[in-house]
Amino acid sequence: MANSNGIFKRGSSHYLRVVLPLSHALRHQYKSGKVIVSLGACSYREALTAAAIKRAQILETTTPITSIKKILAPSSGAPFSYYLRDIYDRWIKSKPLSNDAINTCMRALLLYEEQTNNPPLHLLTRAQGDGFRAWLQEPERKTSSKTAYDRFTWVKTLLKYAYRDLEVISRHPWEGIELFKETTNQRRPWSGAELQTLFGQPLFQKYELPRDWRCGKDAAYWIPLLGLYTGARLSELAQLRAVDILSEGEIPSISITNLGSNQQLKTLASKRTIPIHSELIRLGFLGYANKIKVDNQDSLWPQLSQRKSKPGGYFSNWFGEYRARIGLKGYPDFHCFRHTVRSKLGESETSEHVIDAILGHEIKGSIGAKVYMHRTLKTLQAGVELLTYEQLSMTSIYKS
């Protein structure tokens, strides 16, 4: 007799009974509306995991002739064979992930399958991990050490998920095998002289907006300033909506969120509210945001084209070329504004919890610290207002 989860046992083998929806592609092949799948000879705990994967595979099948044969194939009493692609299919549904993360992980998976010949996970060895690591770094592959590191790390992430979350393997076969990357460019804070060079340009001193379509007109002026006074990522700022500027309360603030149809966040900790610095208010940012709202625009930057997987992609290309033209090639780049903000707050002896809350980093420490370390807007505002740049002299020139 099957349990409520559809699993039942005959002899030494477990089986799964799946009831098909009326609209399912397999319904015409199974008049009873039920599919019986062998899970092989395994423990009940292993059967639970195997059943979860097979049930998902069956219910998602749209090509019954080709797909179902592989899904329903008996395991002949051998250990149930999971492949890394099975784990990938489960992993991408396990939590909110950006398209960039999903696609990058898939590229790493394809390389893994190519080099290792894709063995069942219970047969994967440490020697194969060492071989894959070496293969990724071979000179003929013309891959940077960072790219090789990232690809190796993505595969280890899937293996960790298979071991710890799904428990479909008894150990993490590549745990402790590391691929070290070379640090080619160390990001750092902007120096005072570099900030003077950037914000001393006519763009910021006279509001002379560039004509390059990639800069998003007004975005070219406001986004670098927001980066300097919030430490937010370029992608977070580029995808802001007008409604994300909260100007009605006692403390005007910016909501970094993924609630919009095209908004995405790097991590769950990235979702946060940042008080708007008084300097941004003095320069007219709230006036700009209110004008966009009055015009019934959704995006805070109506003229900024969005790259699908990287919201700030076009802006980043323009900003890099703009910096080069004014003598700021290479580093510091836009992301260095985050390092500038963290450095400034650290020098002001702001607590790490407040810094993490402003920058959208995972709060470090015990579970208690993570759960109860709620910071009010007043606390965050006090931290934000510590961001001062004595080298800069800017006039309020924005006219709504």
Side-chain angles (χ1 to χ4, degrees):
M1 182 175 180
N3 293 327
S4 59
N5 54 23
I7 298 174
F8 62 96
K9 192 172 183 181
R10 289 177 182 167
S12 61
S13 295
H14 282 94
Y15 291 81
L16 170 68
R17 178 179 293 122
V18 180
V19 178
L20 300 172
L22 292 175
S23 59
H24 197 276
L26 297 175
R27 191 77 186 198
H28 70 283
Q29 295 185 26
Y30 296 86
K31 303 303 182 183
S32 67
K34 301 174 183 177
V35 177
I36 306 295
V37 187
S38 172
L39 303 176
C42 57
S43 68
Y44 182 70
R45 186 175 185 179
E46 292 171 327
L48 283 172
T49 303
I53 292 177
K54 289 237 175 186
R55 183 183 291 106
Q57 290 174 327
I58 291 170
L59 294 178
E60 293 168 8
T61 295
T62 57
T63 52
I65 300 300
T66 57
S67 299
I68 200 64
K69 290 181 179 179
K70 179 179 178 181
I71 296 171
L72 300 183
S75 50
S76 304
F80 192 86
S81 296
Y82 297 93
Y83 294 85
L84 200 60
R85 189 171 289 262
D86 298 322
I87 307 306
Y88 170 84
D89 291 340
R90 287 289 303 277
W91 174 76
I92 62 176
K93 299 171 185 174
S94 66
K95 58 183 178 181
L97 295 164
S98 68
N99 290 333
D100 192 42
I102 292 172
N103 295 334
T104 303
C105 187
M106 171 53 78
R107 286 193 290 271
L109 172 60
L110 291 172
L111 291 171
Y112 161 89
E113 291 175 336
E114 176 185 349
Q115 196 276 332
T116 63
N117 293 320
N118 196 30
L121 291 185
H122 68 279
L123 299 180
L124 189 63
T125 66
R126 294 185 67 79
Q128 286 172 306
D130 179 64
F132 183 57
R133 173 177 60 179
W135 182 74
L136 287 173
Q137 298 177 91
E138 289 177 355
E140 54 266 31
R141 297 198 59 77
K142 298 179 180 179
T143 300
S144 70
S145 64
K146 181 183 184 308
T147 300
Y149 169 86
D150 289 343
R151 289 171 175 171
F152 192 68
T153 300
W154 277 118
V155 172
K156 288 183 64 178
T157 295
L158 294 178
L159 291 174
K160 179 180 177 181
Y161 180 69
Y163 166 56
R164 292 193 178 178
D165 292 64
L166 299 181
E167 294 186 334
V168 298
I169 48 178
S170 60
R171 63 187 178 86
H172 185 330
W174 292 2
E175 186 173 14
I177 302 178
E178 304 295 340
L179 192 159
F180 298 97
K181 59 181 177 180
E182 299 174 4
T183 303
T184 54
N185 290 305
Q186 186 66 45
R187 283 197 167 109
R188 58 172 177 77
W190 286 70
S191 69
E194 289 162 340
L195 290 175
Q196 282 182 315
T197 298
L198 176 63
F199 293 104
Q201 300 302 310
L203 167 58
F204 299 100
Q205 293 297 319
K206 299 180 181 180
Y207 211 83
E208 293 184 3
L209 302 179
R211 295 182 179 180
D212 192 317
W213 65 272
R214 297 172 298 172
C215 75
K217 292 191 176 179
D218 294 277
Y221 177 84
W222 289 114
I223 286 182
L225 285 169
L226 287 168
L228 185 65
Y229 285 101
T230 67
R233 300 175 179 90
L234 174 54
S235 60
E236 295 170 341
L237 297 173
Q239 65 186 5
L240 284 174
R241 302 167 299 164
V243 296
D244 295 329
I245 309 306
L246 312 176
S247 57
E248 302 301 324
E250 179 184 352
I251 301 177
S253 55
I254 299 172
S255 174
I256 305 293
T257 182
N258 58 356
L259 296 178
S261 58
N262 295 316
Q263 290 181 313
Q264 54 189 350
L265 296 176
K266 184 175 182 180
T267 66
L268 293 177
S270 300
K271 188 175 182 179
R272 63 200 187 279
T273 301
I274 309 174
I276 299 174
H277 197 286
S278 58
E279 179 65 2
L280 292 171
I281 296 175
R282 184 185 72 82
L283 292 174
F285 178 64
L286 292 183
Y288 169 79
N290 288 334
K291 179 180 182 298
I292 298 300
K293 292 178 181 178
V294 169
D295 292 343
N296 291 319
Q297 298 283 355
D298 180 43
S299 171
L300 189 61
W301 323 110
Q303 304 298 321
L304 181 61
S305 297
Q306 300 287 315
R307 184 178 288 174
K308 186 175 181 181
S309 60
K310 295 183 178 180
Y314 293 129
F315 187 96
S316 179
N317 293 342
W318 165 79
F319 190 65
E321 294 176 12
Y322 179 78
R323 286 186 295 105
R325 285 198 302 271
I326 63 176
L328 297 173
K329 296 182 180 180
Y331 284 82
D333 60 5
F334 193 95
H335 196 78
C336 290
F337 286 133
R338 281 176 70 76
H339 293 264
T340 303
V341 169
R342 174 168 278 283
S343 177
K344 279 277 185 181
L345 294 177
E347 290 170 0
S348 301
E349 298 186 355
T350 305
S351 75
E352 283 295 313
H353 291 301
V354 170
I355 296 175
D356 289 339
I358 291 171
L359 294 179
H361 285 152
E362 183 71 32
I363 293 177
K364 305 174 183 67
S366 66
I367 296 297
K370 294 179 181 180
V371 172
Y372 297 109
M373 195 57 69
H374 174 72
R375 295 295 178 179
T376 66
L377 273 180
K378 279 192 173 295
T379 303
L380 298 182
Q381 184 185 43
V384 166
E385 289 298 326
L386 292 173
L387 297 171
T388 57
Y389 303 94
E390 296 81 6
Q391 307 90 343
L392 299 186
S393 176
M394 298 184 65
T395 303
S396 178
I397 53 178
Y398 172 75
K399 304 298 180 184
S400 59

